[in-house]
Amino acid sequence: MQPEVAARLGENVPRYTSYPTAPHFHPRVDAAVCRTWLEALESDDEISLYLHIPYCDKLCWFCACHTKQTRHYQPVATFLHSLHREIETVGRLVRGKGRVRAIHFGGGSPTMLNPEDILSLGKALRDRFDVLDDASLSVEIDPSDMDEARLDALSAIGMTRASLGVQDFDPKVQKAINREQTFLLTKSVVDAVRARGVNSVNLDLLYGLPHQTLESVARTVAQALTLQPDRLALFGYAHVPWFKKHQTMIDEAWLPDSAGRLAQSQLAARLIVDAGYEALGLDHFAKPDDTLAISARTGKIRRNFQGYTEDNCETLIGLGPSAISRYRQGYAQNIVATGAYEKAVDSGQLAVARGIELSVDDLARGWIIERLMCHFAFSAIELVERFGDVGQSLLAMASRLAISGGGLLLRLDGENFVVPKDSRPLVRTVAAKFDKYLEAGTARHSVAV
Ligand SMILES: C[S@@+](CC[C@H](N)C(=O)[O-])C[C@H]1O[C@@H](n2cnc3c(N)ncnc32)[C@H](O)[C@@H]1O
Ligand code: SF4
């Protein structure tokens, strides 16, 4: 790796699961604005639903998700009552318009729900929305939560994809992150979901965790590969203790430095690719016949709040506290605090706290950033065809970046601007060059690699 690239690995940049990114959302996009966006849906629009379950029965010290630990089920039951109200309210505004192509249960831990609550959520969604017969239904699974009854309930509501949190199999690493989960437990859940007909299983792995070494990462990857996952996500641990206080439980002296993180991610990626997987975007891998790998090859892979996806729906409706929706007109985020969210939806309102309307400039920059994050390249011709004058001025900007950086971050190759292979770990830094809001903002982000 060139020293100029290595020197930038520690830069703090957004993860670009949206553009503009969430720190730039503002309260002028409120429930009233979002209502008009929902009502503007067309009857043949395909939509996706994301349900955020903001609870876990145990907190992992590394976690940066919007979640809260609860030892009792009552707060979950209270929240679920509100989630049903929100499903009713949104369903009424959509009024049968929009056909649901994909449903995603995330969190937090959707698997901490009681089996009967899983069943009633599945029923509510199908009662209130027009869910297509071949819609996908994916669930983020914490293997420690799982039992036969929950697996049966998830299967009964039509789970087609399962994503299991693994992170690392090394006991010393697991102890340091407060997440003890044996390989055998993970294997038993993988086997159990497959036995119920789920033929898309993803495992989440992390690098950059406390006590991880090249050897321990290689061992974890090798163990994960024995489970033959259809997909693997390999995330860099985002250490953001100013945002997530419980991460202060992780001693920073135990964390690898930027060069160590890069070496771990490259080793893990090489082992996964050598095992026959295709690398997709920044941090995903899939078997070549997996639908995500196929969408990447055909240029259709997308990036949204759940990471890389083949879900092409323009509209994603987020339900639950902190959930972010994307409409044709802009982004809208629900109230983050669960109590305030419950109060809003229990009074029959939408729980929108903030968001942003998308200008043509936002759409054009967002398109470039998404292409870079998914394909490490974008077509100069397509940029101008799609966005006209705005595309022209961004094209000039891309050319300046390519020239001034000596082709280090971006290079013109035929009609495409391309991130050179050596600089791919820095793709978030390249994307940030097209982020108009970044300089003005005060938000702090995790390191690039
Ligand atoms: C909602 S959790 C997955 C479902 C379930 N709660 C579990 O942990 O198994 C989503 C994923 O986000 C990733 N994640 C959480 N905190 C992270 C952090 N600080 N940095 C990078 N990835 C993180 C983990 O890989 C985790 O599996
Ligand atoms: S990683 Fe998953 S189980 Fe752990 S605290 Fe975060 S959301 Fe909960």
Side-chain angles (χ1 to χ4, degrees), residues 15 56 60 62-65 106-111 140-143 145 163-167 179 181 204-206 235-240 247:
R15 297 180 55 79
C56 294
C60 312
F62 68 89
C63 184
C65 304
S109 292
T111 44
E140 290 178 13
I141 290 181
D142 176 355
D145 288 336
S163 175
L164 280 69
V166 170
Q167 329 309 344
R179 186 180 174 113
Q181 175 181 325
D204 284 346
L205 300 180
L206 291 183
F235 301 123
Y237 164 48
H239 187 62
V240 286
Q247 289 188 347

PDB file of all heavy atoms in Angstrom, residues 15 56 60 62-65 106-111 140-143 145 163-167 179 181 204-206 235-240 247, ligand 1:
ATOM      1  N   ARG A  15     -20.211   6.446   7.201  1.00  0.00           N
ATOM      2  CA  ARG A  15     -20.320   5.115   6.580  1.00  0.00           C
ATOM      3  C   ARG A  15     -21.178   5.154   5.306  1.00  0.00           C
ATOM      4  O   ARG A  15     -21.282   4.186   4.586  1.00  0.00           O
ATOM      5  CB  ARG A  15     -20.946   4.115   7.570  1.00  0.00           C
ATOM      6  CG  ARG A  15     -20.073   3.909   8.799  1.00  0.00           C
ATOM      7  CD  ARG A  15     -20.703   2.931   9.773  1.00  0.00           C
ATOM      8  NE  ARG A  15     -21.009   1.659   9.143  1.00  0.00           N
ATOM      9  CZ  ARG A  15     -20.126   0.713   8.897  1.00  0.00           C
ATOM     10  NH1 ARG A  15     -18.878   0.889   9.251  1.00  0.00           N
ATOM     11  NH2 ARG A  15     -20.476  -0.412   8.312  1.00  0.00           N
ATOM     12  N   CYS A  56     -32.475  -5.355  23.821  1.00  0.00           N
ATOM     13  CA  CYS A  56     -31.673  -6.582  23.883  1.00  0.00           C
ATOM     14  C   CYS A  56     -31.712  -7.064  25.325  1.00  0.00           C
ATOM     15  O   CYS A  56     -31.824  -6.240  26.245  1.00  0.00           O
ATOM     16  CB  CYS A  56     -30.223  -6.292  23.517  1.00  0.00           C
ATOM     17  SG  CYS A  56     -30.033  -5.779  21.812  1.00  0.00           S
ATOM     18  N   CYS A  60     -23.904  -5.837  24.441  1.00  0.00           N
ATOM     19  CA  CYS A  60     -22.514  -6.114  24.057  1.00  0.00           C
ATOM     20  C   CYS A  60     -21.769  -4.781  24.143  1.00  0.00           C
ATOM     21  O   CYS A  60     -22.283  -3.758  23.673  1.00  0.00           O
ATOM     22  CB  CYS A  60     -22.456  -6.639  22.627  1.00  0.00           C
ATOM     23  SG  CYS A  60     -23.647  -7.952  22.286  1.00  0.00           S
ATOM     24  N   PHE A  62     -19.384  -3.567  22.504  1.00  0.00           N
ATOM     25  CA  PHE A  62     -18.964  -2.934  21.250  1.00  0.00           C
ATOM     26  C   PHE A  62     -20.129  -2.260  20.521  1.00  0.00           C
ATOM     27  O   PHE A  62     -19.920  -1.511  19.577  1.00  0.00           O
ATOM     28  CB  PHE A  62     -18.342  -3.975  20.289  1.00  0.00           C
ATOM     29  CG  PHE A  62     -19.358  -4.964  19.776  1.00  0.00           C
ATOM     30  CD1 PHE A  62     -20.077  -4.708  18.616  1.00  0.00           C
ATOM     31  CD2 PHE A  62     -19.607  -6.125  20.464  1.00  0.00           C
ATOM     32  CE1 PHE A  62     -21.034  -5.584  18.164  1.00  0.00           C
ATOM     33  CE2 PHE A  62     -20.562  -7.029  20.011  1.00  0.00           C
ATOM     34  CZ  PHE A  62     -21.279  -6.754  18.867  1.00  0.00           C
ATOM     35  N   CYS A  63     -21.355  -2.518  20.966  1.00  0.00           N
ATOM     36  CA  CYS A  63     -22.523  -2.218  20.128  1.00  0.00           C
ATOM     37  C   CYS A  63     -22.740  -0.722  19.901  1.00  0.00           C
ATOM     38  O   CYS A  63     -22.711   0.074  20.838  1.00  0.00           O
ATOM     39  CB  CYS A  63     -23.773  -2.819  20.752  1.00  0.00           C
ATOM     40  SG  CYS A  63     -25.202  -2.557  19.701  1.00  0.00           S
ATOM     41  N   ALA A  64     -22.987  -0.365  18.640  1.00  0.00           N
ATOM     42  CA  ALA A  64     -23.280   1.033  18.298  1.00  0.00           C
ATOM     43  C   ALA A  64     -24.714   1.184  17.791  1.00  0.00           C
ATOM     44  O   ALA A  64     -25.075   2.224  17.246  1.00  0.00           O
ATOM     45  CB  ALA A  64     -22.295   1.522  17.244  1.00  0.00           C
ATOM     46  N   CYS A  65     -25.516   0.111  17.970  1.00  0.00           N
ATOM     47  CA  CYS A  65     -26.898   0.171  17.460  1.00  0.00           C
ATOM     48  C   CYS A  65     -27.787   0.946  18.440  1.00  0.00           C
ATOM     49  O   CYS A  65     -27.445   1.116  19.603  1.00  0.00           O
ATOM     50  CB  CYS A  65     -27.455  -1.239  17.296  1.00  0.00           C
ATOM     51  SG  CYS A  65     -26.451  -2.276  16.242  1.00  0.00           S
ATOM     52  N   GLY A 106     -35.005  -5.618  12.334  1.00  0.00           N
ATOM     53  CA  GLY A 106     -33.662  -5.342  12.835  1.00  0.00           C
ATOM     54  C   GLY A 106     -33.708  -4.733  14.222  1.00  0.00           C
ATOM     55  O   GLY A 106     -34.774  -4.608  14.844  1.00  0.00           O
ATOM     56  N   GLY A 107     -32.543  -4.339  14.677  1.00  0.00           N
ATOM     57  CA  GLY A 107     -32.550  -3.776  16.029  1.00  0.00           C
ATOM     58  C   GLY A 107     -31.167  -3.341  16.445  1.00  0.00           C
ATOM     59  O   GLY A 107     -30.339  -2.988  15.607  1.00  0.00           O
ATOM     60  N   GLY A 108     -30.920  -3.457  17.731  1.00  0.00           N
ATOM     61  CA  GLY A 108     -31.511  -4.306  18.738  1.00  0.00           C
ATOM     62  C   GLY A 108     -31.657  -5.770  18.300  1.00  0.00           C
ATOM     63  O   GLY A 108     -31.021  -6.221  17.376  1.00  0.00           O
ATOM     64  N   SER A 109     -32.481  -6.441  19.043  1.00  0.00           N
ATOM     65  CA  SER A 109     -32.638  -7.882  18.821  1.00  0.00           C
ATOM     66  C   SER A 109     -34.106  -8.276  18.632  1.00  0.00           C
ATOM     67  O   SER A 109     -34.828  -8.491  19.611  1.00  0.00           O
ATOM     68  CB  SER A 109     -32.040  -8.658  20.000  1.00  0.00           C
ATOM     69  OG  SER A 109     -30.658  -8.495  20.011  1.00  0.00           O
ATOM     70  N   PRO A 110     -34.534  -8.402  17.365  1.00  0.00           N
ATOM     71  CA  PRO A 110     -35.912  -8.847  17.116  1.00  0.00           C
ATOM     72  C   PRO A 110     -36.172 -10.218  17.727  1.00  0.00           C
ATOM     73  O   PRO A 110     -37.309 -10.552  18.040  1.00  0.00           O
ATOM     74  CB  PRO A 110     -35.987  -8.940  15.581  1.00  0.00           C
ATOM     75  CG  PRO A 110     -34.817  -8.209  15.070  1.00  0.00           C
ATOM     76  CD  PRO A 110     -33.787  -8.129  16.134  1.00  0.00           C
ATOM     77  N   THR A 111     -35.077 -10.997  17.917  1.00  0.00           N
ATOM     78  CA  THR A 111     -35.276 -12.363  18.415  1.00  0.00           C
ATOM     79  C   THR A 111     -35.534 -12.410  19.916  1.00  0.00           C
ATOM     80  O   THR A 111     -35.738 -13.493  20.454  1.00  0.00           O
ATOM     81  CB  THR A 111     -34.050 -13.220  18.062  1.00  0.00           C
ATOM     82  OG1 THR A 111     -32.863 -12.467  18.335  1.00  0.00           O
ATOM     83  CG2 THR A 111     -34.078 -13.605  16.602  1.00  0.00           C
ATOM     84  N   GLU A 140     -32.696 -10.165  11.770  1.00  0.00           N
ATOM     85  CA  GLU A 140     -31.401 -10.156  12.450  1.00  0.00           C
ATOM     86  C   GLU A 140     -31.533 -11.017  13.697  1.00  0.00           C
ATOM     87  O   GLU A 140     -32.402 -10.780  14.537  1.00  0.00           O
ATOM     88  CB  GLU A 140     -31.025  -8.719  12.828  1.00  0.00           C
ATOM     89  CG  GLU A 140     -30.689  -7.879  11.615  1.00  0.00           C
ATOM     90  CD  GLU A 140     -30.362  -6.429  11.958  1.00  0.00           C
ATOM     91  OE1 GLU A 140     -30.156  -6.100  13.142  1.00  0.00           O
ATOM     92  OE2 GLU A 140     -30.335  -5.619  11.020  1.00  0.00           O
ATOM     93  N   ILE A 141     -30.677 -12.012  13.776  1.00  0.00           N
ATOM     94  CA  ILE A 141     -30.806 -13.014  14.842  1.00  0.00           C
ATOM     95  C   ILE A 141     -29.619 -12.964  15.793  1.00  0.00           C
ATOM     96  O   ILE A 141     -28.471 -13.050  15.358  1.00  0.00           O
ATOM     97  CB  ILE A 141     -30.909 -14.434  14.212  1.00  0.00           C
ATOM     98  CG1 ILE A 141     -32.258 -14.570  13.496  1.00  0.00           C
ATOM     99  CG2 ILE A 141     -30.722 -15.515  15.259  1.00  0.00           C
ATOM    100  CD1 ILE A 141     -32.474 -15.934  12.854  1.00  0.00           C
ATOM    101  N   ASP A 142     -29.920 -12.820  17.079  1.00  0.00           N
ATOM    102  CA  ASP A 142     -28.889 -13.033  18.097  1.00  0.00           C
ATOM    103  C   ASP A 142     -29.008 -14.500  18.509  1.00  0.00           C
ATOM    104  O   ASP A 142     -29.997 -14.885  19.143  1.00  0.00           O
ATOM    105  CB  ASP A 142     -29.148 -12.100  19.286  1.00  0.00           C
ATOM    106  CG  ASP A 142     -28.154 -12.356  20.412  1.00  0.00           C
ATOM    107  OD1 ASP A 142     -27.340 -13.302  20.304  1.00  0.00           O
ATOM    108  OD2 ASP A 142     -28.197 -11.619  21.411  1.00  0.00           O
ATOM    109  N   PRO A 143     -28.030 -15.342  18.141  1.00  0.00           N
ATOM    110  CA  PRO A 143     -28.174 -16.779  18.388  1.00  0.00           C
ATOM    111  C   PRO A 143     -28.488 -17.115  19.847  1.00  0.00           C
ATOM    112  O   PRO A 143     -29.195 -18.094  20.128  1.00  0.00           O
ATOM    113  CB  PRO A 143     -26.813 -17.350  17.974  1.00  0.00           C
ATOM    114  CG  PRO A 143     -26.324 -16.388  16.933  1.00  0.00           C
ATOM    115  CD  PRO A 143     -26.785 -15.037  17.402  1.00  0.00           C
ATOM    116  N   ASP A 145     -30.494 -15.830  21.780  1.00  0.00           N
ATOM    117  CA  ASP A 145     -31.935 -15.685  22.091  1.00  0.00           C
ATOM    118  C   ASP A 145     -32.753 -16.882  21.634  1.00  0.00           C
ATOM    119  O   ASP A 145     -33.917 -17.021  22.021  1.00  0.00           O
ATOM    120  CB  ASP A 145     -32.528 -14.493  21.304  1.00  0.00           C
ATOM    121  CG  ASP A 145     -32.075 -13.154  21.831  1.00  0.00           C
ATOM    122  OD1 ASP A 145     -31.700 -13.077  23.007  1.00  0.00           O
ATOM    123  OD2 ASP A 145     -32.105 -12.190  21.040  1.00  0.00           O
ATOM    124  N   SER A 163     -29.945 -13.307   9.352  1.00  0.00           N
ATOM    125  CA  SER A 163     -28.611 -12.734   9.519  1.00  0.00           C
ATOM    126  C   SER A 163     -28.213 -12.904  10.979  1.00  0.00           C
ATOM    127  O   SER A 163     -28.874 -12.368  11.875  1.00  0.00           O
ATOM    128  CB  SER A 163     -28.641 -11.253   9.140  1.00  0.00           C
ATOM    129  OG  SER A 163     -27.386 -10.680   9.403  1.00  0.00           O
ATOM    130  N   LEU A 164     -27.177 -13.699  11.221  1.00  0.00           N
ATOM    131  CA  LEU A 164     -26.784 -14.000  12.596  1.00  0.00           C
ATOM    132  C   LEU A 164     -25.584 -13.143  13.009  1.00  0.00           C
ATOM    133  O   LEU A 164     -24.595 -13.068  12.265  1.00  0.00           O
ATOM    134  CB  LEU A 164     -26.355 -15.469  12.731  1.00  0.00           C
ATOM    135  CG  LEU A 164     -27.436 -16.532  12.841  1.00  0.00           C
ATOM    136  CD1 LEU A 164     -28.213 -16.704  11.557  1.00  0.00           C
ATOM    137  CD2 LEU A 164     -26.798 -17.863  13.235  1.00  0.00           C
ATOM    138  N   GLY A 165     -25.684 -12.545  14.179  1.00  0.00           N
ATOM    139  CA  GLY A 165     -24.540 -11.826  14.723  1.00  0.00           C
ATOM    140  C   GLY A 165     -23.557 -12.823  15.308  1.00  0.00           C
ATOM    141  O   GLY A 165     -23.926 -13.631  16.158  1.00  0.00           O
ATOM    142  N   VAL A 166     -22.323 -12.786  14.816  1.00  0.00           N
ATOM    143  CA  VAL A 166     -21.274 -13.656  15.361  1.00  0.00           C
ATOM    144  C   VAL A 166     -20.191 -12.771  15.983  1.00  0.00           C
ATOM    145  O   VAL A 166     -19.846 -12.900  17.142  1.00  0.00           O
ATOM    146  CB  VAL A 166     -20.661 -14.551  14.260  1.00  0.00           C
ATOM    147  CG1 VAL A 166     -19.422 -15.269  14.783  1.00  0.00           C
ATOM    148  CG2 VAL A 166     -21.688 -15.562  13.770  1.00  0.00           C
ATOM    149  N   GLN A 167     -19.632 -11.899  15.215  1.00  0.00           N
ATOM    150  CA  GLN A 167     -18.559 -10.953  15.576  1.00  0.00           C
ATOM    151  C   GLN A 167     -17.204 -11.661  15.641  1.00  0.00           C
ATOM    152  O   GLN A 167     -16.327 -11.416  14.850  1.00  0.00           O
ATOM    153  CB  GLN A 167     -18.842 -10.201  16.898  1.00  0.00           C
ATOM    154  CG  GLN A 167     -20.315  -9.921  17.235  1.00  0.00           C
ATOM    155  CD  GLN A 167     -21.137  -9.269  16.135  1.00  0.00           C
ATOM    156  OE1 GLN A 167     -20.586  -8.740  15.200  1.00  0.00           O
ATOM    157  NE2 GLN A 167     -22.460  -9.305  16.246  1.00  0.00           N
ATOM    158  N   ARG A 179     -19.792 -10.640  25.016  1.00  0.00           N
ATOM    159  CA  ARG A 179     -20.674 -11.392  24.130  1.00  0.00           C
ATOM    160  C   ARG A 179     -20.129 -12.815  24.011  1.00  0.00           C
ATOM    161  O   ARG A 179     -19.377 -13.147  23.104  1.00  0.00           O
ATOM    162  CB  ARG A 179     -20.731 -10.752  22.759  1.00  0.00           C
ATOM    163  CG  ARG A 179     -21.768 -11.458  21.880  1.00  0.00           C
ATOM    164  CD  ARG A 179     -21.842 -10.846  20.517  1.00  0.00           C
ATOM    165  NE  ARG A 179     -22.721 -11.613  19.691  1.00  0.00           N
ATOM    166  CZ  ARG A 179     -23.890 -11.196  19.231  1.00  0.00           C
ATOM    167  NH1 ARG A 179     -24.303  -9.997  19.500  1.00  0.00           N
ATOM    168  NH2 ARG A 179     -24.634 -11.971  18.472  1.00  0.00           N
ATOM    169  N   GLN A 181     -20.547 -16.451  23.116  1.00  0.00           N
ATOM    170  CA  GLN A 181     -21.416 -17.184  22.184  1.00  0.00           C
ATOM    171  C   GLN A 181     -20.571 -18.267  21.532  1.00  0.00           C
ATOM    172  O   GLN A 181     -19.705 -17.965  20.713  1.00  0.00           O
ATOM    173  CB  GLN A 181     -21.938 -16.183  21.152  1.00  0.00           C
ATOM    174  CG  GLN A 181     -22.749 -16.752  20.036  1.00  0.00           C
ATOM    175  CD  GLN A 181     -23.174 -15.645  19.063  1.00  0.00           C
ATOM    176  OE1 GLN A 181     -23.456 -14.510  19.437  1.00  0.00           O
ATOM    177  NE2 GLN A 181     -23.226 -15.967  17.790  1.00  0.00           N
ATOM    178  N   ASP A 204     -22.531 -11.982  10.541  1.00  0.00           N
ATOM    179  CA  ASP A 204     -21.806 -10.719  10.755  1.00  0.00           C
ATOM    180  C   ASP A 204     -20.520 -11.012  11.509  1.00  0.00           C
ATOM    181  O   ASP A 204     -20.562 -11.602  12.600  1.00  0.00           O
ATOM    182  CB  ASP A 204     -22.616  -9.777  11.666  1.00  0.00           C
ATOM    183  CG  ASP A 204     -23.778  -9.107  10.965  1.00  0.00           C
ATOM    184  OD1 ASP A 204     -23.841  -9.143   9.726  1.00  0.00           O
ATOM    185  OD2 ASP A 204     -24.632  -8.529  11.682  1.00  0.00           O
ATOM    186  N   LEU A 205     -19.388 -10.590  10.951  1.00  0.00           N
ATOM    187  CA  LEU A 205     -18.101 -10.694  11.638  1.00  0.00           C
ATOM    188  C   LEU A 205     -17.523  -9.295  11.808  1.00  0.00           C
ATOM    189  O   LEU A 205     -17.818  -8.398  11.016  1.00  0.00           O
ATOM    190  CB  LEU A 205     -17.104 -11.528  10.815  1.00  0.00           C
ATOM    191  CG  LEU A 205     -17.480 -12.972  10.490  1.00  0.00           C
ATOM    192  CD1 LEU A 205     -16.365 -13.621   9.672  1.00  0.00           C
ATOM    193  CD2 LEU A 205     -17.733 -13.779  11.762  1.00  0.00           C
ATOM    194  N   LEU A 206     -16.698  -9.122  12.838  1.00  0.00           N
ATOM    195  CA  LEU A 206     -16.057  -7.820  13.059  1.00  0.00           C
ATOM    196  C   LEU A 206     -14.541  -7.967  13.116  1.00  0.00           C
ATOM    197  O   LEU A 206     -14.034  -8.978  13.619  1.00  0.00           O
ATOM    198  CB  LEU A 206     -16.514  -7.218  14.397  1.00  0.00           C
ATOM    199  CG  LEU A 206     -17.964  -6.756  14.543  1.00  0.00           C
ATOM    200  CD1 LEU A 206     -18.168  -6.134  15.918  1.00  0.00           C
ATOM    201  CD2 LEU A 206     -18.336  -5.752  13.476  1.00  0.00           C
ATOM    202  N   PHE A 235     -17.472  -6.232   9.183  1.00  0.00           N
ATOM    203  CA  PHE A 235     -17.459  -4.808   9.531  1.00  0.00           C
ATOM    204  C   PHE A 235     -16.231  -4.472  10.367  1.00  0.00           C
ATOM    205  O   PHE A 235     -15.775  -5.297  11.166  1.00  0.00           O
ATOM    206  CB  PHE A 235     -18.686  -4.445  10.375  1.00  0.00           C
ATOM    207  CG  PHE A 235     -20.010  -4.720   9.708  1.00  0.00           C
ATOM    208  CD1 PHE A 235     -20.943  -5.546  10.318  1.00  0.00           C
ATOM    209  CD2 PHE A 235     -20.335  -4.140   8.490  1.00  0.00           C
ATOM    210  CE1 PHE A 235     -22.180  -5.790   9.729  1.00  0.00           C
ATOM    211  CE2 PHE A 235     -21.565  -4.375   7.891  1.00  0.00           C
ATOM    212  CZ  PHE A 235     -22.486  -5.207   8.511  1.00  0.00           C
ATOM    213  N   GLY A 236     -15.745  -3.245  10.195  1.00  0.00           N
ATOM    214  CA  GLY A 236     -14.703  -2.739  11.092  1.00  0.00           C
ATOM    215  C   GLY A 236     -15.395  -2.233  12.350  1.00  0.00           C
ATOM    216  O   GLY A 236     -16.383  -1.499  12.262  1.00  0.00           O
ATOM    217  N   TYR A 237     -14.875  -2.625  13.497  1.00  0.00           N
ATOM    218  CA  TYR A 237     -15.471  -2.157  14.750  1.00  0.00           C
ATOM    219  C   TYR A 237     -15.412  -0.623  14.805  1.00  0.00           C
ATOM    220  O   TYR A 237     -14.333  -0.033  14.714  1.00  0.00           O
ATOM    221  CB  TYR A 237     -14.737  -2.770  15.959  1.00  0.00           C
ATOM    222  CG  TYR A 237     -15.035  -2.064  17.267  1.00  0.00           C
ATOM    223  CD1 TYR A 237     -16.356  -1.777  17.639  1.00  0.00           C
ATOM    224  CD2 TYR A 237     -14.012  -1.671  18.129  1.00  0.00           C
ATOM    225  CE1 TYR A 237     -16.639  -1.115  18.834  1.00  0.00           C
ATOM    226  CE2 TYR A 237     -14.288  -1.018  19.320  1.00  0.00           C
ATOM    227  CZ  TYR A 237     -15.605  -0.735  19.658  1.00  0.00           C
ATOM    228  OH  TYR A 237     -15.881  -0.070  20.828  1.00  0.00           O
ATOM    229  N   ALA A 238     -16.578   0.021  14.934  1.00  0.00           N
ATOM    230  CA  ALA A 238     -16.636   1.477  15.047  1.00  0.00           C
ATOM    231  C   ALA A 238     -16.587   1.832  16.531  1.00  0.00           C
ATOM    232  O   ALA A 238     -17.537   1.543  17.265  1.00  0.00           O
ATOM    233  CB  ALA A 238     -17.921   1.999  14.415  1.00  0.00           C
ATOM    234  N   HIS A 239     -15.478   2.409  16.937  1.00  0.00           N
ATOM    235  CA  HIS A 239     -15.297   2.766  18.351  1.00  0.00           C
ATOM    236  C   HIS A 239     -15.707   4.222  18.518  1.00  0.00           C
ATOM    237  O   HIS A 239     -14.980   5.128  18.105  1.00  0.00           O
ATOM    238  CB  HIS A 239     -13.828   2.548  18.728  1.00  0.00           C
ATOM    239  CG  HIS A 239     -13.579   2.722  20.191  1.00  0.00           C
ATOM    240  ND1 HIS A 239     -14.175   1.930  21.146  1.00  0.00           N
ATOM    241  CD2 HIS A 239     -12.791   3.600  20.879  1.00  0.00           C
ATOM    242  CE1 HIS A 239     -13.774   2.300  22.349  1.00  0.00           C
ATOM    243  NE2 HIS A 239     -12.950   3.318  22.208  1.00  0.00           N
ATOM    244  N   VAL A 240     -16.877   4.446  19.065  1.00  0.00           N
ATOM    245  CA  VAL A 240     -17.434   5.801  19.157  1.00  0.00           C
ATOM    246  C   VAL A 240     -17.936   6.053  20.591  1.00  0.00           C
ATOM    247  O   VAL A 240     -19.129   6.291  20.811  1.00  0.00           O
ATOM    248  CB  VAL A 240     -18.570   5.990  18.112  1.00  0.00           C
ATOM    249  CG1 VAL A 240     -18.007   6.120  16.702  1.00  0.00           C
ATOM    250  CG2 VAL A 240     -19.580   4.822  18.118  1.00  0.00           C
ATOM    251  N   GLN A 247     -19.278   1.695  25.380  1.00  0.00           N
ATOM    252  CA  GLN A 247     -18.019   1.310  24.728  1.00  0.00           C
ATOM    253  C   GLN A 247     -16.803   1.695  25.581  1.00  0.00           C
ATOM    254  O   GLN A 247     -15.699   1.202  25.343  1.00  0.00           O
ATOM    255  CB  GLN A 247     -17.909   1.934  23.334  1.00  0.00           C
ATOM    256  CG  GLN A 247     -18.868   1.325  22.322  1.00  0.00           C
ATOM    257  CD  GLN A 247     -18.601   1.814  20.905  1.00  0.00           C
ATOM    258  OE1 GLN A 247     -17.873   2.771  20.686  1.00  0.00           O
ATOM    259  NE2 GLN A 247     -19.208   1.157  19.934  1.00  0.00           N
TER     260      GLN A 247
HETATM  261  C1  LIG B   1     -28.479  -5.352  15.402  1.00  0.00           C
HETATM  262  S1  LIG B   1     -27.000  -6.258  15.432  1.00  0.00           S
HETATM  263  C2  LIG B   1     -27.388  -7.899  14.895  1.00  0.00           C
HETATM  264  C3  LIG B   1     -28.513  -8.660  15.559  1.00  0.00           C
HETATM  265  C4  LIG B   1     -28.337  -9.068  16.994  1.00  0.00           C
HETATM  266  N1  LIG B   1     -28.651  -7.974  17.849  1.00  0.00           N
HETATM  267  C5  LIG B   1     -26.963  -9.588  17.271  1.00  0.00           C
HETATM  268  O1  LIG B   1     -26.166  -8.839  17.802  1.00  0.00           O
HETATM  269  O2  LIG B   1     -26.721 -10.759  16.949  1.00  0.00           O
HETATM  270  C6  LIG B   1     -26.313  -5.693  13.950  1.00  0.00           C
HETATM  271  C7  LIG B   1     -24.832  -5.843  13.697  1.00  0.00           C
HETATM  272  O3  LIG B   1     -24.217  -4.580  13.770  1.00  0.00           O
HETATM  273  C8  LIG B   1     -22.826  -4.764  13.933  1.00  0.00           C
HETATM  274  N2  LIG B   1     -22.334  -3.763  14.884  1.00  0.00           N
HETATM  275  C9  LIG B   1     -22.866  -3.409  16.053  1.00  0.00           C
HETATM  276  N3  LIG B   1     -22.108  -2.484  16.662  1.00  0.00           N
HETATM  277  C10 LIG B   1     -21.054  -2.239  15.838  1.00  0.00           C
HETATM  278  C11 LIG B   1     -19.928  -1.380  15.899  1.00  0.00           C
HETATM  279  N4  LIG B   1     -19.685  -0.610  16.947  1.00  0.00           N
HETATM  280  N5  LIG B   1     -19.093  -1.379  14.844  1.00  0.00           N
HETATM  281  C12 LIG B   1     -19.302  -2.153  13.757  1.00  0.00           C
HETATM  282  N6  LIG B   1     -20.348  -3.001  13.664  1.00  0.00           N
HETATM  283  C13 LIG B   1     -21.213  -3.040  14.685  1.00  0.00           C
HETATM  284  C14 LIG B   1     -22.606  -6.168  14.486  1.00  0.00           C
HETATM  285  O4  LIG B   1     -21.864  -6.933  13.565  1.00  0.00           O
HETATM  286  C15 LIG B   1     -24.012  -6.704  14.637  1.00  0.00           C
HETATM  287  O5  LIG B   1     -24.108  -8.067  14.330  1.00  0.00           O
END
